[in-house]
Each structure stands twice: as C-alpha cells, then as structure tokens.
Amino acid sequence: MQRGKFITFEGSEGCGKSTQIHRLVEALRERGLDPVLTREPGGTVIGEKIRHLLQYDSEAARLTAESELLLFAASRAQLVRELILPALEAGRWVVADRFLDSTTIYQGVGRGLDPEAVRRINAFAVGPARPDLTILLDLDAATGHARAVRASGAK
C-alpha cells in the first residue's frame, strides 16, 4: 500500500486556515479519498486535555516558556504516534491545522527560547513524521485579529 500524504496549514489567527482546510478536505473527499483532519494542540484524547490546559486553565498563564513548549511537544508526540503515522501507513491523507512550525514561531521566537533547543524538542516529538507539504497563509496581524474577533462573536 502506498503511504498517504501529510499536509499542514500554518498561519496566524484569522488568516483563513479553517476555510482553506475545509476546502481541501472536501476536494479530497470528492476525489474518493478519506482524509484525516486534525489540529494542534489536540487531535487525541490526551492532546485535547493538554489543549484545554493551555487555552482555558487559569493556571496556564503561569507556565514558563519551557513548560509551554514541552506541553505542545507532548501533545504533538501523542498525535503523531496515535493518529498521524498510523493513518499515513494505512495510505490515508492527513490534513493538520498547525504542526511544528507554529511551535517554532510561537513558543520559540515568541517566547525567546533557544532555537536549537526548540528544533531538537520538535524533532524528538515528531520522530519520522514530516509534512509532505506545508501551506503558510499570510495576513497582516490587524486584519487577522479583526477576523478572529468577528468569528468568535466577541465585541
């Protein structure tokens, strides 16, 4: 059986990732494929618990940059081994809303962590799973933020 393909989408909030991911998944389905759709952090039961901690737990604001990086890596390691690699080995296409590039930027650059340390931790977390294609959607921050606020229904 031929190995599946792994496509990741990267970009800031409000840049249109969800829209483009939905369009790609629908196009793949129209071609008779059954793609696996996932997101980061999350995508597995453990990953979703880590996502909840990172996004909604009031104590998350106290996380050090290193702890935050390691939590993202833990979620990713679980996702790769539980979902991504088995799907690829079964010949399925995997479409991911974010992957290791986001950690490189948000936790690495954004939190001022050593780039080599971030690279090594990312490499350990993903093992042999590397995207066949990464699509980066670029949009100025002000427009992206305004779109994200509108989408959330916040005022």
Side-chain angles (χ1 to χ4, degrees):
M1 174 172 293
Q2 184 176 5
R3 181 181 184 274
K5 299 293 181 192
F6 182 24
I7 301 172
T8 63
F9 281 77
E10 299 283 357
S12 63
E13 294 300 316
C15 72
K17 284 187 311 300
S18 297
T19 299
Q20 297 309 317
I21 288 167
H22 175 74
R23 288 178 177 169
L24 175 61
V25 166
E26 287 304 310
L28 292 171
R29 286 182 178 141
E30 288 172 6
R31 287 164 180 76
L33 298 170
D34 183 25
V36 174
L37 176 60
T38 191
R39 67 181 183 175
E40 284 208 1
T44 65
V45 171
I46 291 168
E48 291 298 325
K49 289 181 180 196
I50 292 171
R51 180 185 187 89
H52 186 271
L53 170 68
L54 289 165
Q55 291 187 337
Y56 303 110
D57 192 304
S58 61
E59 294 298 313
R62 298 180 51 218
L63 282 171
T64 66
E66 295 83 0
S67 294
E68 184 180 83
L69 170 66
L70 292 169
L71 284 169
F72 274 95
S75 175
R76 182 170 301 120
Q78 189 71 28
L79 178 65
V80 163
R81 285 149 186 91
E82 185 178 322
L83 183 72
I84 293 173
L85 287 177
L88 293 172
E89 290 165 7
R92 295 181 72 190
W93 287 47
V94 177
V95 179
D97 184 343
R98 300 191 190 271
F99 198 59
L100 59 89
D101 293 318
S102 287
T103 296
T104 300
I105 298 303
Y106 288 109
Q107 282 68 51
V109 175
R111 300 272 282 176
L113 294 174
D114 173 52
E116 182 56 23
V118 173
R119 188 199 64 74
R120 285 192 318 270
I121 290 167
N122 276 337
F124 179 70
V126 302
R130 296 294 190 283
D132 294 294
L133 175 66
T134 296
I135 299 170
L136 172 63
L137 300 177
D138 188 19
L139 182 67
D140 69 272
T143 303
H145 178 72
R147 284 182 178 180
V149 168
R150 274 196 312 276
S152 74
K155 293 187 181 205

